[in-house]
Amino acid sequence: MPDDLLQYLIGPSPYSLRWLWLAVVLTLALIAWYIGVFAFTAPSRKLAEVPLVGAMRNELLKRRAVSAVRGIVRRYRAGDLDAPAAGAALSRELREFLHRLTGIRVRHMQLSDVAASDLSAAAPVLIDLNDVQFNARSTVDVGAVSESTEELIRTWT
């Protein structure tokens, strides 16, 4: 083989650094995804006490609950739900929100127990919702009590 052809021989080309950075970014994104799923779905109170994660989780829970309340009211105003069904749905949503945010099993509590607990601020709204749900001659307006429910959820600390 003549020496003048050796100048055209080269070794394998190295990998581009773009592939390394892409792998690093995708790995970090996967780790962040798992942390996010754990942080936003874990029912643990300990996780809610972590400053940044707890605040983000609480805001997300508030947004979801307010959105659900607005959806119930929209269905009520459209005629898809009658007053007792709307009251039941609003009560269920409020109790579920309080359970997720505080860890207290509000779904299974009587109103007197709610009034005597740390959740006493929610008792008047729950009383109105129960009146709408179970009293056929109730004078409580579903629109007004839904606004109270939404306000309670937005201002809950």
Side-chain angles (χ1 to χ4, degrees):
M1 175 177 224
D3 290 336
D4 58 337
L5 294 178
L6 289 178
Q7 67 182 350
Y8 297 110
L9 285 176
I10 59 170
S13 60
Y15 285 109
S16 172
L17 284 178
R18 293 180 189 162
W19 292 111
L20 174 66
W21 286 111
L22 179 65
V24 168
V25 168
L26 288 175
T27 303
L28 291 176
L30 181 67
I31 291 169
W33 172 262
Y34 276 105
I35 289 172
V37 166
F38 176 74
F40 290 114
T41 60
S44 169
R45 282 291 292 159
K46 292 179 185 177
L47 188 61
E49 293 170 1
V50 176
L52 183 62
V53 174
M56 288 183 352
R57 178 179 178 270
N58 292 347
E59 283 303 312
L60 181 65
L61 288 174
K62 286 179 183 182
R63 286 184 191 166
R64 286 181 180 172
V66 166
S67 174
V69 166
R70 288 179 180 164
I72 293 166
V73 171
R74 199 174 311 114
R75 288 177 52 206
Y76 170 72
R77 290 189 177 141
D80 294 339
L81 295 174
D82 58 346
L90 289 169
S91 177
R92 184 173 43 254
E93 187 59 42
L94 178 59
R95 287 175 183 262
E96 193 65 32
F97 166 75
L98 292 172
H99 171 69
R100 287 183 181 157
L101 198 68
T102 64
I104 299 172
R105 300 187 72 167
V106 186
R107 291 176 283 184
H108 307 293
M109 293 176 70
Q110 299 292 324
L111 290 177
S112 58
D113 297 334
V114 172
S117 71
D118 294 338
L119 307 172
S120 60
V125 176
L126 286 170
I127 289 171
D128 287 345
L129 289 172
N130 273 2
D131 190 43
V132 167
Q133 183 179 0
F134 296 114
N135 185 1
R137 289 176 276 160
S138 175
T139 59
V140 177
D141 180 32
V142 175
V145 77
S146 68
E147 290 174 9
S148 301
T149 304
E150 187 176 329
E151 183 67 24
L152 178 69
I153 290 171
R154 276 191 276 123
T155 59
W156 192 267
T157 56

